[in-house]
Amino acid sequence: MTAKSDHNDSENDYELDDDGHNTSADLNVDESQETQSFRPRRRTTTEIERIHYRFVNERVVNDITLEILYKPHTLTVLALLCAFLLYAAFSSDETFTSENVYDGLKASGALFLVISALAFPNGPFIRPHPILWRIIFGVSVLYVLLLQFTLFQSFNDVKAVLRWLDPERLNKAHLEEKEYAVNCSDMSLERIWSHMDIFAVGHFMGWTMKSMLIRHSIICWYISMAWEITEVVFTHVLPNFEECWWDAIFLDVILCNGLGIFAGLQICKILEMRQFRWESIKNIKTTRGKFKRAVLQFTPESWMRHDWFNNYAIRRALAIYTFVMIWLFSELNTFFLKHIFAVDTAHPFVFWRIILIGLISAPSIRQFYIYATDPKIKRLGMQCWIYCAVCALEAANCVKFGRHQLPALQVTYITCWIVVLAVGTFCCVWLSVWWVRQFERVKEVSVGGQTHECYLDSSHENLGTISDDVRKRRRRLQISDSDFN
């Protein structure tokens, strides 16, 4: 619907010459015929970092082929929106207060999402269309506001709202969950097959998606094992975490999670090796070609390999530790929220929350990765910031509403859990660096008088994070790569 204008990048790009003449932005004028001399204005380090941040976290669509999909239609959208909301407001039934409140909240949410589509930044992704990721950003902001509002309510009021939304399935006082740690000595094929339920499929599909987002096998395996340790630690709070040892090790970690990690990384390799040629659909002659190009619009515009480790050992280890802890807390929030508010696993609320977390985590992981690996990025991307706020507010709601329902936390267990994850993160970093030195293509180079080990298949700019469109815009602004070294 809208395209982010990049004309502001050239504001104040040129300064007056020594004689006080105005400067021109036309770089193609013959210097011998120029009547006004000009030179590029030298940017400060802060300005370069700000432009660099916008290039990476607020991408602009270049080489637009179907212009109608990227032209600003703000007035048309405003007129249609006003007409729809006015019709809905005057045609609604004002008999029931609860329905009026519900309709008003839905209309307010729809209006906010339209504003999000028009005003919010694109983020790091632009496929299939930037408007999709702007709307997802808007949904995540609405979810943060909902969590903040819920935090100031009482448990009875929250349950009353849930019962009002779904009187049949959200009116339970306690949640009845399946017990897995029963008769663990029985390891027959029938018993093992009985554990291959919808949750096994969820493990596989979930880790396929997670590995496509993380794109690092050792970190994926580490998080998979760390989650099983987390379940053991929090068993005294949620008995549903308790399961047989062979279920946790063989079915969860090795079989379901392992196959999911393998499948996701194979997809990453296919996308990484694939050449992306985005021809204009107007220039494709055959119907089959047009259909294939339309389908490719819903695949990534480019694919970046994630290399989480370099010589910034302490910063990188702390970044990975923070990443793992946020990931585990997000997983814990899923189980605690549905247990505290007695929401069954099969309820649509649980499903759509997982979908929402998955959608907002995709750009969040990219922004966190760039923040952790690129020394030129000094602040976190906004979608990642919102994701961290979601995790924190969900955890706060769990603590407030669950402290009177759940057993008290064992401080010793939690302390040991934190220490074990810290040691595990160090081992994960060490193992990854060792693996790269043994089996990957690296080379020692001298930078500033110091020796560094670099990947041979990576650029000097954050291992390939900066794509071609960023470099083109830099050249247009006359920013050389040396300014970033």
Side-chain angles (χ1 to χ4, degrees):
M1 293 174 61
T2 60
K4 296 291 182 181
S5 174
D6 58 351
H7 295 296
N8 293 333
D9 295 334
S10 59
E11 291 181 358
N12 302 322
D13 287 340
Y14 303 97
E15 61 182 5
L16 300 178
D17 61 2
D18 296 337
D19 298 331
H21 294 144
N22 291 331
T23 63
S24 171
D26 187 1
L27 302 181
N28 298 322
V29 179
D30 188 1
E31 294 183 0
S32 62
Q33 298 178 357
E34 285 184 342
T35 58
Q36 297 177 348
S37 61
F38 65 94
R39 66 174 182 270
R41 182 176 64 86
R42 184 174 180 83
R43 288 179 172 80
T44 63
T45 303
T46 302
E47 290 177 319
I48 293 176
E49 291 175 351
R50 174 177 54 83
I51 297 174
H52 185 74
Y53 173 84
R54 293 212 319 270
F55 285 165
V56 175
N57 288 276
E58 301 174 7
R59 294 190 61 189
V60 175
V61 181
N62 294 319
D63 301 326
I64 296 174
T65 56
L66 296 178
E67 296 183 358
I68 189 173
L69 297 179
Y70 294 90
K71 286 184 177 180
H73 303 287
T74 53
L75 296 180
T76 304
V77 172
L78 179 62
L80 294 176
L81 181 65
C82 291
F84 173 76
L85 293 180
L86 288 175
Y87 171 78
F90 285 101
S91 62
S92 61
D93 187 6
E94 301 179 358
T95 304
F96 300 101
T97 302
S98 59
E99 293 185 1
N100 293 335
V101 172
Y102 184 60
D103 293 338
L105 291 176
K106 289 193 298 182
S108 300
L111 177 61
F112 183 81
L113 293 182
V114 172
I115 296 175
S116 303
L118 296 175
F120 279 11
N122 289 344
F125 298 149
I126 58 176
R127 296 285 181 172
H129 195 286
I131 191 174
L132 172 65
W133 300 104
R134 295 201 291 267
I135 292 176
I136 291 174
F137 190 12
V139 175
S140 64
V141 172
L142 286 177
Y143 186 50
V144 165
L145 296 177
L146 176 63
L147 291 172
Q148 182 64 78
F149 179 80
T150 305
L151 192 61
F152 285 86
Q153 311 307 310
S154 65
F155 178 78
N156 292 332
D157 291 339
V158 175
K159 285 295 295 183
V161 173
L162 293 176
R163 284 192 295 268
W164 173 67
L165 291 173
D166 192 345
E168 296 182 1
R169 292 183 291 179
L170 296 179
N171 60 352
K172 299 178 181 179
H174 301 284
L175 184 62
E176 298 179 0
E177 296 181 296
K178 180 180 178 181
E179 295 183 1
Y180 293 93
V182 178
N183 193 15
C184 293
S185 59
D186 182 9
M187 298 179 59
S188 61
L189 293 178
E190 292 79 8
R191 178 69 189 283
I192 296 176
W193 180 255
S194 65
H195 283 248
M196 302 300 291
D197 50 12
I198 188 63
F199 297 103
V201 179
H203 273 273
F204 171 78
M205 297 183 63
W207 271 106
T208 301
M209 182 66 180
K210 293 171 185 176
S211 59
M212 291 178 62
L213 296 176
I214 301 175
R215 307 175 193 176
H216 195 281
S217 59
I218 296 179
I219 296 181
C220 288
W221 279 102
Y222 171 56
I223 293 178
S224 176
M225 292 183 289
W227 173 247
E228 298 301 326
I229 297 175
T230 302
E231 286 187 323
V232 174
V233 171
F234 285 88
T235 300
H236 68 283
V237 182
L238 284 182
N240 181 248
F241 281 156
E242 190 175 358
E243 56 187 353
C244 297
W245 63 270
W246 47 266
D247 188 359
I249 296 176
F250 293 106
L251 294 185
D252 288 350
V253 176
I254 298 179
L255 184 61
C256 299
N257 296 358
L259 291 178
I261 293 173
F262 176 79
L265 293 179
Q266 290 302 311
I267 295 175
C268 291
K269 290 182 179 180
I270 293 174
L271 293 175
E272 183 182 350
M273 294 183 295
R274 171 180 168 192
Q275 292 184 354
F276 293 87
R277 303 183 184 276
W278 300 101
E279 293 87 353
S280 170
I281 196 170
K282 296 182 295 185
N283 299 329
I284 300 176
K285 305 302 181 183
T286 63
T287 304
R288 181 176 180 273
K290 290 180 181 290
F291 177 77
K292 183 178 179 181
R293 174 59 183 84
V295 172
L296 289 177
Q297 181 69 20
F298 295 91
T299 62
E301 182 252 352
S302 59
W303 191 262
M304 182 184 73
R305 178 182 179 183
H306 282 188
D307 294 314
W308 287 85
F309 305 96
N310 63 7
N311 287 332
Y312 296 94
I314 297 179
R315 174 181 174 179
R316 194 61 59 89
L318 291 176
I320 295 175
Y321 180 69
T322 303
F323 177 79
V324 172
M325 293 299 294
I326 293 175
W327 190 287
L328 295 179
F329 272 110
S330 180
E331 298 278 1
L332 282 173
N333 291 338
T334 303
F335 292 90
F336 276 104
L337 286 174
K338 72 183 185 71
H339 183 85
I340 292 171
F341 296 106
V343 181
D344 190 78
T345 305
H347 196 276
F349 279 3
V350 177
F351 173 79
W352 287 112
R353 179 200 166 272
I354 294 176
I355 295 298
L356 174 62
I357 294 298
L359 289 175
I360 65 177
S361 65
S364 299
I365 292 175
R366 169 64 67 86
Q367 291 179 342
F368 184 84
Y369 169 73
I370 296 174
Y371 174 77
T373 60
D374 194 336
K376 307 301 184 298
I377 300 296
K378 303 299 183 181
R379 60 191 179 101
L380 203 60
M382 282 307 302
Q383 181 65 87
C384 186
W385 189 95
I386 291 293
Y387 181 78
C388 294
V390 166
C391 294
L393 288 173
E394 284 185 341
N397 279 276
C398 293
V399 172
K400 177 180 179 180
F401 299 117
R403 56 184 175 178
H404 301 302
Q405 302 182 38
L406 303 174
L409 289 174
Q410 298 292 332
V411 179
T412 304
Y413 293 168
I414 304 302
T415 303
C416 293
W417 176 63
I418 295 174
V419 173
V420 167
L421 290 180
V423 175
T425 302
F426 173 80
C427 295
C428 177
V429 173
W430 179 86
L431 179 61
S432 299
V433 174
W434 176 84
W435 183 272
V436 166
R437 289 174 175 173
Q438 295 294 324
F439 302 103
E440 299 288 342
R441 300 178 60 192
V442 296
K443 181 180 179 181
E444 291 187 354
V445 295
S446 178
V447 179
Q450 298 181 352
T451 302
H452 298 271
E453 290 181 328
C454 298
Y455 295 91
L456 294 182
D457 57 349
S458 303
S459 67
H460 70 284
E461 291 183 317
N462 189 32
L463 307 173
T465 296
I466 309 301
S467 54
D468 293 337
D469 61 330
V470 174
R471 295 189 177 91
K472 290 179 181 178
R473 296 176 66 192
R474 281 183 179 175
R475 288 194 294 269
R476 184 175 59 80
L477 297 177
Q478 290 194 344
I479 302 178
S480 64
D481 290 343
S482 61
D483 291 334
F484 291 88
N485 295 332

